[in-house]
Amino acid sequence: MSNSAKTSPNRSPNRTSKRPLRVAIVGAGPAGVYAADILTKSNEVKDGDFEVSIDLFEAYPAPYGLIRYGVAPDHPRIKGIVNALHKVLDRGDIRFLGNVTYGRDLTLHDFRAFYDAVIFSTGAIKDAELDIPGVGLDGSFGGADFVSWYDGHPDVSRDWPLEAKEIAVIGNGNVALDVARMLVKQADDLLVTEIPDNVYQALKNSPVTDVHVFGRRGPAQVKFTPLELRELSHARDVDIVLYPEDFEFDEASDEAIRSNNQIRTMVNTLTNWLVEEHAEAEEPSSRRLHLHFLHSPVEIHDDAAHPGTVTGIKFERMQLDGTGNAKGTGEYLDYPVQAVYRAIGYHGSPLDELEYDDRRGVIPNEGGRVLDAEGNPVPGIYTTGWIKRGPVGLIGHTKGDALETIGFLLEDRLSLPPARNPDPQAIIDLLEERGIEYTTWDGWNRLDAHELALGAEWTASGDANGIARERVKVVPREDMVQISRG
C-alpha cells in the first residue's frame, strides 16, 4: 500500500505525497466540462496551493452530452456552445475517457480507489411522466425519446414511426417547440445541419400536415424563449396558426408583460402573428403548426376501428385565475390526431450506490455535496448540472451550478478520503484489463474529422442540389468506437 493510501482521511493527500488532487467527473456534457474548467482555473490552483488532475468520463464514445444528443440540430446556438466546450477539452489538461458507463464498466468502489473526489454530472435524458389514460397507446411517444432519435443517439433504434398526418405535442417549453419544429419542418431544409441520413430519409417521407402544440396556461406563461419562438417563423412552407380565444391575460400576466422584457417580447410576437395571420391571403402552405394555450390534457384515446392506437386526444379548457395559474372550466375539447408527443420535461435517472430522489429525479445534495440516506454529506462525492438541481434552466444556470459545487470541493480538499492508487495510468490499466473499449480526446478528433468528411462527400455528390452539408453524424456506437480508436 502506498504512503498516500495510509494517510488519515482528515488530512490532505497532497500535504503528504505532494501529488496532484485526483478528480473524476462522470458525464461530459456542459455541466461536467464546466466543472472541470472551473476547477482548473480556480484561484487555489492558479496560485499554486495545489495541483489537480482531472479525468472526464462519458458513457457515449463522443463528448458534449445533451448538446450532441438533446438539442435540435437546427438550433443556432449549438455551434457556439460546442466550440466553447471544445476549447476547454482541447487544452490538454483534462483527460477525456468516453464509452465508459458508470455502474457497468466502473463502480463507485473503483472510483474511490483511483480518485480523491468524484463529481457526477450525468444529466437527465428520460421523459417526465404524464399520468393520463391512454398514454401507453401505440402512437403515444416521449418527446425526449424523439429528440434522442433525431439527434442520432447511439443507443436508440434508428427507425421511428412517422405515419401520422395530425400530431399533438403536449408542452410549452423549448423541447416542445423543438419537437414540433422537427416534425413540421421540410426535411431538405435540415440538410445543412449534422442530421443523420436515416433521420433525413424518415422525415422526408413523413405524411404530416398539421402539428398542434398545447400549453396548459396562457401566452404570458410559456416556458420557451424568444429565440425558439423566432425559429418557428423561419420554417419554409409552414403556416403558423393561432386562436383568438387562447389569448387570455389575467393580472399576473399583465404584470409579467410589464416587468419582464422576455415575456413582453414573446407575447408581442404571438399577438402580431395572430393579427398578421388573418391579413395574409396568399396560397396556404403544405404544413401547419398550431399553437394552442389554456388546454390541459385529459385523455389520449383510440376508437373501435383502431383499437390500441392513438386516434385523438381530449383536453379540458382552462382559464387563468389571476395569479398566472390555470383552473379548469369543465369544458372539454377533442382533437383528431394519430400521434401524441409528450414534452413536459426531463427526469433524471438513479445511479448505483447513490441515494436518489425519485420525485424530483435528482441525487440528494446540499449545494453539490452528495448526501447519504441519513442526510449527511458523503465524503469526496459531489454532483452538478441537471442531476443536481433538476432539468430546469439554461447554460448559464449550469455554469453557476458548477461554480457552487467546485467551491465546496475546494473547501473540502484538505479532508477528502485519499485515493489508494492515484497514478493516472492505473485507471487506464483497469479499463484495458476489463476489455473496455474506451475512447479519448484524440479519438473524438478522429471521429469529428470523419463526420466532417462525410458532409464534404455528400456535398460533392451529384445528389447535393447545391446544398453544402458541414457534417453527417455517425450513429452506430460500434462505428463511433471503431473510428475513434483508429
Side-chain angles (χ1 to χ4, degrees), residues 342-357:
R342 55 192 183 277
I344 57 172
Y346 283 85
H347 200 74
S349 302
L351 295 168
D352 287 358
E353 301 180 76
L354 299 177
E355 291 299 311
Y356 177 67
D357 182 338

Side-chain angles (χ1 to χ4, degrees), residues 26 68 79 86 90 101 118 127 135 142 144 190 213-214 268 270 272 285 309 358 361 373 390 409 418 440 445:
V26 183
R68 182 172 169 93
K79 187 176 294 185
H86 180 95
D90 204 44
T101 299
V118 186
D127 281 286
V135 77
L190 292 165
V213 181
F214 295 94
N268 286 341
L270 289 167
N272 286 339
S285 300
T309 302
D358 184 62
L409 189 154
T440 64
N445 285 327

